[in-house]
Amino acid sequence: MTRNVARNRSPFSIWLAVISLCTAGLVGTYVLFVEAPPPRRIVIATGGKDGAYYRFAQLYANLLKSEGITLEVRSTQGSVENLKLLMDDDSDVRVAFVQTGIANSEQCDSLEALASLYREPLWIFYRGSKGIDRLTQLKQQRIAIGPEGSGTRGIALQLLKANGLGEQDDQFSTLAGNAAAEALERGEIDVAFFVAGVDAKYVRKLLQDPEIHLAELTHAEAYERQFRFLSAVKIDEGLLDLQQNIPSHQIVLIAPAATLVAHRSLHPALVSLLLKVATKVHQQGDLLSNVGEFPSPKLTDLPLNPEAERYFRSGPPVLQRFMPFWLASMLDRLKIMIIPLIMLLMPLMRVAPPLVRWQTRRKIYLWYDELRRIDLRSIDGMTIEEADSSLEHLHRLEQQIARIGVPLSYMEEYYNLRLHLNLVRSRVLSILRGEAGHPQPGSHPGFRTEGGESTLTR
């Protein structure tokens, strides 16, 4: 019986088997070792909607949108609440703005700092003509230190406690921002603490009010030494307003830093993306920082995220510099598969060429089984009917062999096969001549006579 399947075989089937094995190996490696892709949605905790944290988060969201990431901006009371949300297992917040001096690295062991973003001066405004340059002078004063959960309240309580004023909570107001500034102007409170940037409108307004004064702490450098999250910053004369010469002389303030904090479960690819976005937003600096000074791995009070450390040491991942985030992230995750792929391909590539040679020769040698059986029957003796049937069978074989695809390098084996087929056919024809005389012209496929001599058609 003719094996018709043989003519459909080709060297490509060998390579198909190789590719299938490699694919199976890669799929197994992917399932077992490749980390999950980064989520397309992140929730960030900020602060009040009138604050800088919320405004910067909106800028982040616009930049991340172009990378296919949705940043959900969630307004909160401030840094303390943000930390609680980050540490809450039931919360979906994974990133937050946090003021330094609020987080305790021992209690917040599941959190990591990504970067410090900018300095936030501590402004202490007061009413009255009597100058204040030490916090011990605030005894018996009505003080606004911000609401529960705010960074301003957190740092104010630490500094007041260090000056022996930590027990007069009944005199502490929860007012903050514009509300605290207006209450101070109306005389409803005596002192107000603000942690805000130099561009805060209520800060500019209070600096211009002749009845409101800014406390200039003589112990600024001492606070910087005792509280490592603080830094002393100088605001030169006229820095805030040259036309009105605000401030009228150089002043020294203490300033915590605004930091970007994340839960350890945040996907590593998102860390570098967030820092890339933060760099675009903050790298130009402000009145208190130089160009390129922020974002920075310094001025943080939590351990630095390992991926963030690599970012500051080497810059953004190479792939993210030239590719869209989703593609760079996918290729970066698949890099772990390079080694198993090489280990799998090396032996397969060695085996493939011999397999290809074997498959090609098999296509040729497969027909020899048919020829051998006909040849053996011709040796053992054939009847006229068997010889006639074998001759027809050989004719069909010849047509099928002519259609098989064989590379040029194997043409010798191919034409040897055709030569051997004619040899077997001549043996069968000799049987017909010996037992039935010369066959009539055209009585058998592939045989005709020319000038009285038998000739095999090609």
Side-chain angles (χ1 to χ4, degrees):
M1 180 179 179
T2 304
R3 304 185 182 184
N4 295 325
V5 71
R7 57 184 170 185
N8 296 324
R9 299 290 181 90
S10 71
F12 291 106
S13 61
I14 302 298
W15 292 108
L16 181 61
V18 172
I19 293 173
S20 300
L21 288 174
C22 291
T23 302
L26 290 176
V27 170
T29 303
Y30 182 88
V31 172
L32 295 175
F33 301 107
V34 176
E35 62 186 8
R40 295 285 183 171
R41 172 181 169 273
I42 320 172
V43 180
I44 184 169
T46 59
K49 292 186 177 181
D50 59 344
Y53 289 172
Y54 191 87
R55 176 166 52 86
F56 283 129
Q58 294 291 344
L59 295 177
Y60 287 13
N62 291 334
L63 292 172
L64 289 171
K65 186 177 180 180
S66 63
E67 300 286 355
I69 301 297
T70 300
L71 182 67
E72 181 181 326
V73 181
R74 187 164 298 174
S75 177
T76 67
Q77 292 293 329
S79 296
V80 175
E81 183 180 353
N82 292 351
L83 287 174
K84 291 180 180 179
L85 289 172
L86 282 174
M87 292 187 293
D88 186 359
D89 293 336
D90 296 328
S91 171
D92 57 353
V93 174
R94 285 297 173 264
V95 188
F97 289 98
V98 177
Q99 176 190 299
T100 54
I102 304 301
N104 184 314
S105 58
E106 295 182 358
Q107 296 177 353
C108 305
D109 56 351
S110 62
L111 307 183
E112 297 172 328
L114 302 187
S116 59
L117 305 174
Y118 57 92
R119 293 184 181 89
E120 294 184 296
L122 172 64
W123 309 87
I124 305 175
F125 288 101
Y126 64 93
R127 293 182 60 87
S129 58
K130 186 178 180 180
I132 294 178
D133 57 9
R134 297 185 182 186
L135 294 184
T136 54
Q137 297 171 285
L138 299 184
K139 290 181 179 180
Q140 307 304 319
Q141 300 288 320
R142 296 169 298 173
I143 308 172
I145 61 174
E148 292 286 346
S150 68
T152 301
R153 187 180 186 89
I155 188 174
L157 288 176
Q158 290 187 64
L159 298 182
L160 290 171
K161 183 177 181 181
N163 286 273
L165 302 177
E167 301 300 329
Q168 54 182 41
D169 292 344
D170 56 329
Q171 297 184 18
F172 294 159
S173 169
T174 59
L175 293 176
N178 289 318
E182 292 172 359
L184 184 62
E185 290 177 320
R186 293 193 299 265
E188 297 174 1
I189 56 177
D190 302 313
V191 182
F193 282 68
F194 304 95
V195 175
V198 294
D199 56 346
K201 293 182 179 180
Y202 56 82
V203 170
R204 298 293 185 97
K205 185 178 179 182
L206 291 175
L207 286 171
Q208 295 174 0
D209 192 326
E211 296 191 10
I212 306 297
H213 307 284
L214 179 63
E216 302 177 49
L217 302 179
T218 56
H219 293 156
E221 293 186 1
Y223 285 121
E224 182 180 24
R225 295 289 184 179
Q226 290 197 23
F227 299 91
R228 296 294 182 177
F229 57 87
L230 296 175
S231 58
V233 294
K234 294 180 180 180
I235 300 181
D236 294 323
E237 180 179 351
L239 179 64
L240 304 184
D241 192 322
L242 287 171
Q243 184 178 359
Q244 300 186 39
N245 195 35
I246 299 175
S248 59
H249 59 282
Q250 185 186 76
I251 59 177
V252 179
L253 301 179
I254 54 176
T259 60
L260 198 60
V261 176
H263 193 275
R264 284 183 177 174
S265 62
L266 182 68
H267 197 284
L270 292 177
V271 173
S272 57
L273 181 60
L274 283 169
L275 290 175
K276 181 180 177 181
V277 168
T279 300
K280 291 181 179 180
V281 174
H282 302 288
Q283 67 178 347
Q284 297 304 318
D286 53 28
L287 294 177
L288 301 181
S289 62
N290 297 321
V291 174
E293 185 177 354
F294 291 102
S296 170
K298 302 176 182 178
L299 302 179
T300 61
D301 48 8
L302 286 172
L304 193 64
N305 176 279
E307 194 66 29
E309 186 176 357
R310 282 191 289 271
Y311 181 92
F312 287 114
R313 183 175 62 250
S314 307
V318 176
L319 294 178
Q320 287 190 24
R321 299 177 192 178
F322 309 105
M323 299 179 180
F325 172 72
W326 66 269
L327 179 59
S329 174
M330 181 183 69
L331 294 178
D332 185 64
R333 289 184 297 109
L334 294 179
K335 66 185 179 184
I336 193 175
M337 302 177 68
I338 293 178
I339 294 179
L341 177 62
I342 294 175
M343 297 295 292
L344 184 64
L345 280 178
M346 286 180 63
L348 289 177
M349 294 298 289
R350 291 180 180 178
V351 171
L355 287 177
V356 170
R357 289 193 296 270
W358 173 82
Q359 176 69 1
T360 303
R361 287 194 171 98
R362 181 177 179 275
K363 292 164 59 177
I364 296 173
Y365 295 153
L366 185 64
W367 307 104
Y368 276 101
D369 183 50
E370 301 286 339
L371 296 180
R372 180 61 176 166
R373 283 187 291 177
I374 295 174
D375 190 36
L376 287 176
R377 287 202 303 271
S378 67
I379 294 174
D380 294 337
M382 284 184 175
T383 63
I384 297 297
E385 291 77 10
E386 289 176 338
D388 189 64
S389 175
S390 295
L391 202 61
E392 292 180 357
H393 190 181
L394 289 171
H395 178 67
R396 290 194 299 271
L397 287 180
E398 185 178 37
Q399 290 179 325
Q400 293 171 4
I401 291 172
R403 294 189 182 97
I404 65 173
V406 178
L408 292 176
S409 57
Y410 293 89
M411 280 300 165
E412 182 178 358
E413 288 90 342
Y414 174 74
Y415 282 106
N416 280 336
L417 171 63
R418 298 190 67 173
L419 181 64
H420 294 154
L421 183 144
N422 286 329
L423 178 64
V424 174
R425 179 161 48 193
S426 65
R427 185 186 298 274
V428 174
L429 287 172
S430 66
I431 294 175
L432 290 175
R433 294 192 195 100
E435 296 188 11
H438 292 287
Q440 296 298 318
S443 61
H444 297 289
F447 179 79
R448 60 188 178 86
T449 60
E450 292 183 1
E453 297 293 332
S454 63
T455 304
L456 294 177
T457 60
R458 295 292 180 182

